[in-house]
Amino acid sequence: MRPVIIAANWKMHTTPADAGELATTLAARTAIEGVERVICPPFVCLAAVRDALAATPAGAGVGVGAQNVHHELSGAYTGEIGAPMLVGLATWVIVGHSERRRDAGETDELIGRKLGRALEAGLRPILCVGEQLAEREAGRAEAVVASQLRGSLAGFGGEPGALAEAGLVIAYEPVWAIGTGRTARGVDAAAMAEAIRSATGELGQGFAALADDLPVLYGGSVTAASAGEFLAEPAIDGALVGGASLKVEEMAGIVARAGLTAAGRRAAGVA
Ligand code: PEP
């Protein structure tokens, strides 16, 4: 009974002056039955996106997410954003994006703590995992991702049931595919999605139930043209879209393809 989810990561693009209009245009062009949509703008655009979506019927059902959250609730952390600050602005949050692992040195342990703060604030987390190209070429992709899951989900420190209750989503994003125009093969991404569920289920007591229904998205240079390769795979439950999520026609195509997946699942009685 896994949902089909398309999440837009706007990264460091848009301003409070233009984000609302892009959000409402995207919302109007992507209203497809059975597809959960989420827009993750920069922090400073969260209020504009929230308000713009609330002001139009097309905005109903589009979630708003932050791209990051601090691992502490509050304190002397200049320039950071704590989970309680996001309450009322966002209902989702991305944690562990590879650009933050790369640029901010985020470790699995730290990412686990972010998960904890997100859950305490009632935010639905999208946890990103993925291997480097050298790791894939060395045949270590599954081991690397399993280790990321172990590090962050163990670092989370709470009950696996709380992750399930919060609706934890995993985004499998091979680092070499992010922003490069190069995608993974659908079959490889699907194998990784299955490996992610298996590795999660093996984390210990309580994780098996979480793993069964764990939504796994693919991310990495997804476009309207490439979305079908991933969304045709039963193991993959949607996409985390970066660059293409700023382009209305691309998103319309991606969500339309996700709608076919959702309809197929409905017809088969699995969603
Ligand atoms: C991302 O930011 O998570 C992402 C997958 O980016 P892109 O689609 O641009 O590769």
Side-chain angles (χ1 to χ4, degrees):
M1 300 293 283
R2 301 193 312 262
V4 177
I5 301 167
I6 301 293
N9 175 17
W10 286 357
K11 309 196 192 206
M12 198 170 74
H13 297 288
T14 70
T15 68
D18 58 29
E21 189 179 339
L22 178 59
T24 51
T25 308
L26 282 176
R29 290 295 310 280
T30 58
I32 306 276
E33 193 187 347
V35 182
E36 274 188 61
R37 294 161 292 156
V38 188
I39 296 176
C40 303
F43 283 129
V44 296
C45 298
L46 285 168
V49 168
R50 175 204 58 189
D51 292 347
L53 291 173
T56 167
V62 180
V64 179
Q67 297 174 14
N68 181 37
V69 66
H70 198 263
H71 59 277
E72 296 289 354
L73 286 175
S74 64
Y77 301 101
T78 303
E80 297 289 349
I81 302 288
M85 300 173 186
L86 294 171
V87 174
L89 285 172
T91 53
W92 293 69
V93 63
I94 297 172
V95 294
H97 193 282
S98 66
E99 287 158 7
R100 293 205 55 83
R101 293 176 188 258
R102 179 195 68 199
D103 300 335
E106 291 188 2
T107 61
D108 293 321
E109 188 268 341
L110 199 80
I111 291 161
R113 291 167 67 190
K114 287 170 185 262
L115 278 176
R117 300 299 81 72
L119 264 54
E120 286 157 12
L123 299 168
R124 185 173 183 184
I126 301 176
L127 168 63
C128 301
V129 295
E131 81 285 355
Q132 304 279 345
L133 185 56
E135 293 165 337
R136 170 153 290 271
E137 287 174 348
R140 297 184 47 236
E142 287 190 17
V144 166
V145 166
S147 160
Q148 290 172 336
L149 288 168
R150 200 176 314 115
S152 52
L153 295 180
F156 147 70
E159 291 298 317
L163 290 166
E165 212 171 294
L168 173 71
V169 173
I170 305 289
Y172 166 60
E173 301 206 304
V175 177
W176 46 272
I178 297 181
T180 60
R182 179 176 175 189
T183 59
R185 292 190 311 161
V187 284
D188 291 336
M192 289 301 292
E194 291 296 12
I196 283 166
R197 291 193 190 91
S198 302
T200 302
E202 286 161 14
L203 287 176
Q205 213 174 5
F207 280 97
L210 170 69
D212 280 348
D213 290 328
L214 185 61
V216 180
L217 315 183
Y218 168 77
S221 297
V222 172
T223 61
S226 66
E229 170 146 12
F230 306 101
L231 294 167
E233 295 288 344
I236 297 177
D237 303 309
L240 178 53
V241 186
S245 72
L246 295 155
K247 298 176 185 156
V248 174
E249 291 310 316
E250 289 290 335
M251 279 302 271
I254 292 166
V255 178
R257 180 59 190 81
L260 296 180
T261 297
R265 290 185 180 192
R266 272 198 307 279
V270 293

